[in-house]
Amino acid sequence: MQLYNTLSAEERAIMIDDAGKQRLTLSFYAYAKIEDPKKFRDDLFLAWNALDALGRIYVANEGINAQMSIPEENLETFRATLEVYDFMKGIRLNEAVEHDDHSFLKLTIKVRHKIVADGLNDDTFDVTNIGVHLKAREFNEILDDPNTIVVDFRNHYESEVGHFKNAITPDVETFRESLPIINEQLQNHKEDKNLVMYCTGGIRCEKASAYFKHQGFKNVFQLEGGIINYAKQIEAEGLESKFIGKNFVFDNRLGERITDDIISQCHQCGKPCDNHTNCENDGCHLLFIQCDECKTAMENCCSTECLEIIHMPLVDQVRLRTGKQVGNKVFRKGKSENLKFKHSGELPNAALAEIEKPVDIRQKIKVKKVLLGKAEHYYVKAQVGQFTIENQELNSGDKILISGPTTGNQEMVLEKLIVDGAETQSAKIGDKVTFEVPFRIRLSDKVYKILD
């Protein structure tokens, strides 16, 4: 009975690409009394591993907190595995604003003391006495009320790249730090103000709203489904987004864009930027914001010290970090003196820049392309793709478009074609043709000829 991962992240990524199936990134949580979290964990692993579900999940006596990636075709079967449990019947699955096939590359289900590290003693207050849930339209309306105080219950590295306008953004590294800070800061407004809170997917606010009601706050509200659900609703209903920037997420994407506004800066040069990265030095792995230019110049490192270290022999790198930090402690999300343009605490409501919108190649060549065939295989080391030609001939010198949900739209000019192991000038209908492709392709990709 397999209860653990047998593939590395790299091997899983290749399998996902070769499968060519659209995957969904989603999250959900539920507070419930679970008598045997270990058995619950093992049962979930068996059910989800069979569905090629990946993700990071925490279970505890108090419930479940999950962020996951699943093949789109398995969504309903996956939902059925949840509804085996009464407390997850009809549970809301928050689908990501931007899906990525590689958002998670392992299935990790951990038994924890709590599903969110809040530092609270749940026996001292009624955790079910939560605040009023607000949908996007209601949330926008209450934000316009001058009697409202809105609080971001995420951490500094999350709020720095995106937040609701005029929100209090505590300068903290953990959720548990923010609770006493906000309680003290708002002591004089327990009865006369609307305390409105939000977080990424809603789970932190479930506990925070109950805690603040216990502390004597009379008018407590929370954003239903968090920023993820808010973004979906404003798009569906055509509402104004009062959230600006990017929503930080805890998977390989490290963020999903809500508006075109960039409100943060590259921590190294100060250029408007909101792309997080982790320092390439495994003994540091600091989470910070880095623009493409600094990423190239610094080779993904946060400092010249780390840049020097990554060029050392591996044995010396291991020696330097031995005994200093272990496990997840190397994944620091704090601040560093090396980051000259790091901001936290009070944050701006105005954009520093807007993202450069890509040209929609589908519109540009809408009537100027013809389908040739589909992808069959990609040889990673050789960077060679294999395609079956199903319509018209393909000739050396042709300009082609390779398109797919993950690959996007990539143009290139063919210089060399191989059919049946021999170089040729043209490939006919029915041929399996191979040629160099300087980017990874998937089985869901199509190849088109671009017409003049």
Side-chain angles (χ1 to χ4, degrees), residues 365-387:
I365 63 170
K366 187 173 182 180
V367 296
K368 296 184 180 180
K369 67 179 180 181
V370 60
L371 178 67
L372 290 173
K374 61 184 181 182
E376 295 287 351
H377 193 70
Y378 184 67
Y379 301 91
V380 179
K381 291 184 179 179
Q383 289 192 308
V384 168
Q386 182 181 65
F387 299 82

Side-chain angles (χ1 to χ4, degrees), residues 55-94:
R56 186 186 301 112
I57 302 95
Y58 300 127
V59 299
N61 287 114
E62 67 173 4
I64 181 171
N65 180 17
Q67 295 86 42
M68 303 188 67
S69 166
I70 63 171
E72 184 177 31
E73 66 183 19
N74 291 345
L75 178 60
E76 292 310 312
T77 308
F78 173 78
R79 193 186 296 275
T81 67
L82 303 180
E83 300 204 345
V84 167
Y85 305 93
D86 288 341
F87 71 90
M88 287 196 285
K89 288 186 183 297
I91 193 169
R92 181 185 62 245
L93 301 180
N94 275 340

Side-chain angles (χ1 to χ4, degrees), residues 102-133:
H102 293 179
S103 58
F104 290 99
L105 295 173
K106 289 189 176 182
L107 177 58
T108 304
I109 310 178
K110 294 184 178 181
V111 176
R112 290 284 179 86
H113 176 62
K114 288 194 168 189
I115 55 176
V116 175
D118 52 39
L120 298 174
N121 182 352
D122 294 356
D123 294 332
T124 62
F125 65 102
D126 182 359
V127 296
T128 67
N129 184 24
I130 60 177
V132 177
H133 284 81

Side-chain angles (χ1 to χ4, degrees), residues 232-246:
K232 293 281 189 181
Q233 289 183 10
I234 61 170
E235 181 179 8
E237 299 178 33
L239 303 175
E240 173 194 1
S241 176
K242 293 186 179 292
F243 185 96
I244 53 173
K246 210 175 196 180

Side-chain angles (χ1 to χ4, degrees), residues 268 290-301 307:
Q268 292 175 318
Q290 188 178 47
C291 69
D292 290 342
E293 289 81 358
C294 289
K295 186 183 290 286
T296 299
M298 296 296 293
E299 298 180 43
N300 254 56
C301 291
L307 182 58

